[in-house]
Amino acid sequence: MESGRIDVSSLDGPFDLQSTLESGQTYLWERADGDDYVDSAAYGGDAWYETVLPPTPELTDRPTVVRARQRGGVDERRSSADRTQSDHVDDGTIEWEAGAVPADAGAADAPAAPTEPVDGEAILTHLLRLDDDLAAIYDALDDLSLLSRAFDRYRGMRLIRDPPFPCLISFICSAQMRVSRIFGMQHALREHYGTPVDLDGRTLYAYPTPEALAARTEDELRELSLGYRAPYVQRTAEMVADGEARPEDARGLPYEEARDAATQFVGVGDKVADCVLLFSLGYLQAIPLDTWIQTAIGDYFPDCDGGNYAETSRAIRERLGADLPEREEVFGESGADAYAGYAQTYVFHHLRTDGD
DNA sequence: TATCCAAGGTAAGTT
DNA sequence: AACTTACCTTGGATA
């Protein structure tokens, strides 16, 4: 395993590892010292977070272990009630360890070790969107009171860039589910059908490949408590494994076309499609209209309720993305109204966590 | 201890 | 196209 550190002060704007990984954007990381999945309410201090990337186009071609923790001044965050901005979010350090499983390793039974060095800083920068200019995003949106409060409370939370297939499956599982249980489902999928990797005597599991999930039966997946999502997961995995479609094929299409393209997968409607676009494919203008956000729109932007998903989506994107300065420089890859997804993520986490 | 209910929706069947 | 309904499972609330 290679190791290294990233100084938060070298980034454009703050960074907070815990809120980034525990805000319900991603279900692919686990806290290493926890006996529970990541959503545990108890704060884990400066704990390590771990993920095992399956072979992922444009990122890694081998199962790759990535670990990260953030250090510096975390104690004051223990009490959420009087939590304020803390030093580590602006001046802390992200420590990382990363390694890939060699192609010729692990013949049969024994899990292979991630002995091949990889560039952990580049991978983390990608996965945790350390390349976004978060300070500029705050500046642009801070005049909206709801957002201002959420920005302050979860200062440093960034959007995620999950690998496409695991993101797709985990949000298919999210339908009518609590965040804590979505973590549990993904944990079960990894442990049952993921490639095992040995890390210093512990066994970690990569997210299952499309082929691995396509080979399961609906009943087998129901045994993991997926409920009615089991056939959705199996059939969508089959579509990807058979080469019929891949979630990343939507990349490059105009936003609304990309959303339509993503809904071809079984179990994927507009909301889950928006999640994949936002949390994996870099469409920062996507706002998944879940129950929390629908409520917030009713409370704060009632005129944006267009009566159906497509119209409400268009209205709220315009409201949160319109007339903002410098967006071309901040979001070269995404273009206009690209702040909307950041706003959504803060509002979702704020409402869900603080019961506002 | 038993029962009820809602949880980051979607697909399929009716008007 | 807009509107209904069924769908698995389970932790937490209520009786």
Side-chain angles (χ1 to χ4, degrees):
Chain A
M1 296 270 278
E2 291 275 297
S3 63
R5 3 176 109 223
I6 302 169
D7 290 332
V8 174
S9 59
S10 70
L11 307 175
D12 292 320
F15 174 71
D16 182 56
L17 183 63
Q18 184 199 6
S19 58
T20 298
L21 294 182
E22 298 192 19
S23 50
Q25 304 180 58
T26 176
Y27 300 95
L28 307 180
W29 293 73
E30 302 212 22
R31 202 191 271 160
D33 68 345
D35 55 358
D36 206 343
Y37 34 80
V38 175
D39 190 50
S40 166
Y43 178 55
D46 53 358
W48 285 99
Y49 290 84
E50 302 172 331
T51 190
V52 185
L53 296 168
T56 299
E58 301 162 29
L59 200 54
T60 66
D61 57 358
R62 302 292 310 157
T64 301
V65 175
V66 183
R67 312 178 76 224
R69 70 172 171 180
Q70 183 168 15
R71 315 204 56 180
V74 293
D75 288 346
E76 61 196 277
R77 302 202 312 159
R78 207 166 256 294
S79 168
S80 59
D82 54 32
R83 189 167 111 182
T84 59
Q85 297 177 7
S86 46
D87 294 340
H88 78 294
V89 173
D90 291 288
D91 300 313
T93 302
I94 306 164
E95 300 179 8
W96 60 261
E97 299 176 359
V101 174
D104 57 355
D109 298 338
T115 54
E116 192 171 291
V118 298
D119 185 348
E121 179 162 344
I123 291 174
L124 279 179
T125 299
H126 180 90
L127 294 176
L128 307 179
R129 297 200 71 104
L130 303 180
D131 44 343
D132 282 341
D133 189 340
L134 194 52
I137 293 163
Y138 288 163
D139 284 347
L141 288 170
D142 210 34
D143 56 329
L144 298 169
S145 66
L146 172 66
L147 295 176
S148 175
R149 273 184 291 146
F151 286 156
D152 187 55
R153 183 145 178 68
Y154 298 104
R155 179 175 169 75
M157 182 170 70
R158 290 179 181 244
L159 279 172
I160 205 83
R161 267 197 205 97
D162 273 347
F165 180 73
C167 182
L168 176 65
I169 297 298
S170 54
F171 278 94
I172 287 173
C173 292
S174 77
Q176 290 291 101
M177 271 296 136
R178 284 186 183 82
V179 165
S180 60
R181 286 206 55 215
I182 304 169
F183 276 109
M185 290 180 182
Q186 308 320 304
H187 181 86
L189 285 172
R190 283 191 297 264
E191 289 216 323
H192 284 264
Y193 304 119
T195 302
V197 177
D198 175 80
L199 187 64
D200 304 327
R202 290 187 302 135
T203 304
L204 310 182
Y205 297 87
Y207 202 87
T209 61
E211 293 74 18
L213 291 181
R216 298 349 300 174
T217 64
E218 173 182 334
D219 284 346
E220 286 177 309
L221 296 177
R222 279 180 184 267
E223 285 174 18
L224 304 185
S225 298
L226 296 197
Y228 62 76
R229 303 154 197 81
Y232 299 166
V233 168
Q234 193 279 329
R235 292 173 61 192
T236 287
E238 203 164 52
M239 290 173 73
V240 179
D242 290 350
E244 184 178 341
R246 299 173 306 168
E248 57 266 38
D249 293 338
R251 202 180 268 146
L253 295 174
Y255 163 68
E256 291 187 345
E257 291 179 32
R259 192 180 64 198
D260 287 344
T263 60
Q264 73 183 289
F265 296 103
V266 183
V268 179
D270 287 332
K271 187 271 175 183
V272 169
D274 265 336
C275 288
V276 175
L277 262 53
L278 178 61
F279 300 133
S280 178
L281 301 183
Y283 286 83
L284 299 195
Q285 65 271 58
I287 300 188
L289 299 181
D290 55 62
T291 53
W292 296 94
I293 296 300
Q294 302 264 22
T295 300
I297 289 174
D299 290 347
Y300 292 88
F301 309 102
D303 55 310
C304 289
D305 184 354
N308 60 60
Y309 194 100
E311 288 308 315
T312 304
S313 170
R314 193 168 303 159
I316 193 66
R317 272 183 286 122
E318 271 178 33
R319 180 65 56 89
L320 295 177
D323 302 322
L324 296 172
E326 298 182 58
R327 59 186 173 211
E328 296 299 334
E329 297 103 83
V330 178
F331 297 108
E333 67 181 87
S334 304
D337 64 12
Y339 297 87
Y342 258 101
Q344 182 275 350
T345 297
Y346 275 85
V347 169
F348 171 77
H349 191 46
H350 180 51
L351 295 182
R352 190 180 68 81
T353 308
D354 300 331
D356 204 23

